[in-house]
């Protein structure tokens, strides 16, 4: 069983994916961390983020099973990730690890931008999770303020719009909803509401394919 979750920054993909994985006892891969790690290593080595060949080398040398998650979470890492994610050599270097992960038993949840379209086009369930830029910026602002970080909503909104444009506008595996993905607009839903909607979709599919691991 492979559950693919795609959508723009701050839509609630990670929150949903982690909860689904815990609920079904599946393995969870946050694929954004891979791109974040590449951007982070480039910056640490003083390499130019726009250098596609150098970024590809860094991505090929990456050990995805040992990522220092803590230092990759921040906004700067997200922005760097989206800049290196436009390079085809980076994307192709990361495909194999993601596809092998997706096949782990008894099932997997992967979230990102291109899981349903490029990494796992045959996923059993595809969800496209989205929300308006304003709602996503509000959530991110509240999340950071709750951590004691004083951030400006307008600035976060501008960053989200910029990231949306770069992710959806790139030539290589751009962010878009797969034709067979189910759209979940979380603008007016809380975390529980999104989770219940997703479980209904997944359980219907598990019933059809006769999966009985839970
Ligand atoms: O992974 P992604 O960037 O899509 O989003 P996330 O990190 O899961 O969620 C971003 C923020 O929105 C977190 O603080 C979540 O708690 C919050 N959230 C929410 O308020 N309502 C939802 N329905 C989903 C997420
Ligand atoms: O949590 P948030 O949605 O802000 O970001 P993320 O999922 O950690 O992804 C960071 C960046 O990595 C995205 O803006 C994309 O540019 C890139 N990414 C990608 O291109 N393909 C993926 N499957 C996952 C992330």
């Amino acid at each position: 069983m492979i559950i693919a979750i795609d959508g723009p920054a701050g839509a609630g993909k990670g929150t949903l994916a982690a909860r689904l994985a815990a609920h079904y006892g599946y393995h969870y891969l946050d694929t954004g961390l891979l791109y974040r790690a590449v951007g982070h290593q480039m910056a640490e080595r003083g390499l130019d983020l726009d250098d596609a060949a150098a970024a590809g080398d860094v991505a090929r040398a990456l050990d995805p099973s040992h990522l220092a998650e803590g230092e990759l979470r921040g906004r700067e890492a997200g922005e760097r990730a989206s800049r290196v994610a436009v390079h085809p050599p980076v994307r192709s270097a990361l495909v194999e690890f993601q596809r092998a992960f997706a096949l782990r038993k008894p099932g997997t949840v992967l979230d990102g931008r291109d899981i349903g379209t490029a990494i796992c086009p045959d996923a059993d369930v595809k969800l496209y999770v989205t929300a308006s830029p304003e709602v996503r910026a509000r959530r991110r602002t509240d999340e950071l303020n709750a951590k004691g970080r004083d951030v400006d909503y307008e600035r976060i909104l501008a960053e989200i719009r910029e990231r949306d444009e770069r992710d959806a506008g790139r030539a290589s595996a751009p962010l878009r909803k797969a034709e067979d993905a189910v759209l979940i607009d979380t603008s007016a839903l809380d975390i529980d509401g999104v989770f219940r909607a997703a479980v209904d979709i997944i359980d219907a599919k598990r019933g059809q394919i006769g999966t009985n691991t839970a």
Side-chain angles (χ1 to χ4, degrees), residues 141-161:
T141 308
D142 291 348
E143 185 184 341
L144 291 163
N145 286 341
K147 286 183 190 155
R149 305 261 299 283
D150 188 22
V151 292
D152 175 44
Y153 166 81
E154 291 298 337
R155 171 120 191 254
I156 299 280
L157 178 60
E159 282 177 13
I160 286 218
R161 289 191 192 284

Side-chain angles (χ1 to χ4, degrees), residues 6-11 13 30-33 35-36 73 77-78 81-83 85-86 91 98 111-115 119 140 163 167 170 173:
D6 291 305
K13 303 178 300 296
D30 171 357
T31 66
L33 277 183
Y35 298 90
R36 284 169 181 263
R73 281 287 165 214
S82 80
R83 285 182 59 190
V86 305
R91 307 205 68 85
Q98 295 176 80
D111 84 316
R113 301 290 185 288
D114 63 340
I115 308 303
I119 301 295
R140 275 280 149 89
R163 198 115 79 81
D167 288 348
R170 68 184 176 220

